[in-house]
Amino acid sequence: MKLPLKGIVPPLITPLTGRDTLDVEGLEKLVEYVLAGGVHGLFLLGSTGEAPGLGYRLRRELIKRVCQQVNGRVPVLVGITDSAIVEALNIAKCAADHGAAAVVASTPFYFPAGQPELIKYFKHLTMDLPLPMMIYNIPGFTKTRIAEETVHTLAEDPKIIGIKDSSCDMLYFHRLLADRPKREDWSMLMGPEELLA
């Protein structure tokens, strides 16, 4: 994967035919349609893909099918956000096994954390990750914001390659852009929420 990531990396929905059944035909059509639009990558299992509402078996099936279909045409990023580090690492291993380029992780949900705890959480996560990781700031869903100072601290970890921001706070994003970490490989992706704000 060429870093930094640039361009359009849309989050994909997860098409279903039932509560725990992937719409395989719909997924194949969706992937080809989005790729034909000229995107620069795909993001699976984010909030748009409703990852927290999907079972782990279905998540693994989605990763396998999309990575096989994309077959290296663009980088595939996989959301691994979970309330348990071990489950996040299991999804990350699945993503690596099937050829994903990187993983994306937001703050753990349910228990709110302060910035020192977030730094520890992400560092514990990256110790065992098989892929590079982007941090995902989406406080509307996690109820925890990743502070700018925390982003800079996390940027010291070479396994963390950037941030996806879906905070709907353009001032925050512009401050991060203006004072971005001094790394040539640092990627900054903006969620569609910012475009609508």
Side-chain angles (χ1 to χ4, degrees), residues 1-192:
M1 172 176 66
K2 185 179 176 196
L3 293 173
L5 289 171
K6 293 183 179 180
I8 299 170
V9 183
L12 289 188
I13 63 166
T14 305
L16 304 173
T17 58
R19 181 180 294 156
D20 195 41
T21 307
L22 193 61
D23 179 353
V24 174
E25 182 180 347
L27 176 65
E28 290 172 356
K29 289 178 181 177
L30 173 65
V31 168
E32 290 307 320
Y33 179 81
V34 172
L35 290 176
V39 299
H40 302 91
L42 298 176
F43 175 33
L44 306 179
L45 297 173
S47 54
T48 302
E50 300 182 295
L54 302 176
Y56 296 117
R57 181 206 55 79
L58 194 141
R59 293 186 210 186
R60 288 190 294 273
E61 180 185 359
L62 175 73
I63 293 164
K64 177 182 177 183
R65 288 185 180 278
V66 172
C67 287
Q68 285 177 344
Q69 184 177 351
V70 170
N71 195 26
R73 290 182 279 174
V74 297
V76 175
L77 283 65
V78 175
I80 62 168
T81 299
D82 203 282
S83 56
I85 285 181
V86 69
E87 297 299 348
L89 290 170
N90 287 338
I91 294 298
K93 183 180 181 322
C94 175
D97 289 347
H98 293 293
V103 294
V104 181
S106 68
T107 63
F109 47 88
Y110 193 75
F111 292 111
Q115 299 305 306
E117 291 81 19
L118 290 181
I119 291 168
K120 287 180 185 175
Y121 172 78
F122 284 119
K123 287 188 179 274
H124 280 289
L125 195 54
T126 60
M127 285 185 338
D128 294 316
L129 276 180
L131 291 170
M133 181 181 80
M134 292 190 77
I135 53 178
Y136 187 9
N137 185 43
I138 186 164
F141 287 165
T142 63
K143 308 302 181 224
T144 303
R145 182 173 189 235
I146 302 172
E148 295 155 57
E149 299 79 19
T150 300
V151 173
H152 286 283
T153 299
L154 292 171
E156 295 170 8
D157 185 334
K159 275 198 153 174
I160 298 177
I161 59 167
I163 183 169
K164 178 185 184 325
D165 179 49
S166 295
S167 67
C168 297
D169 183 344
M170 288 300 289
L171 294 176
Y172 170 88
F173 190 77
H174 283 286
R175 284 192 303 269
L176 282 178
L177 274 175
D179 189 26
R180 62 186 295 143
K182 308 296 186 255
R183 288 176 49 183
E184 290 183 18
D185 64 342
W186 188 257
S187 300
M188 293 186 64
L189 301 178
M190 180 181 3

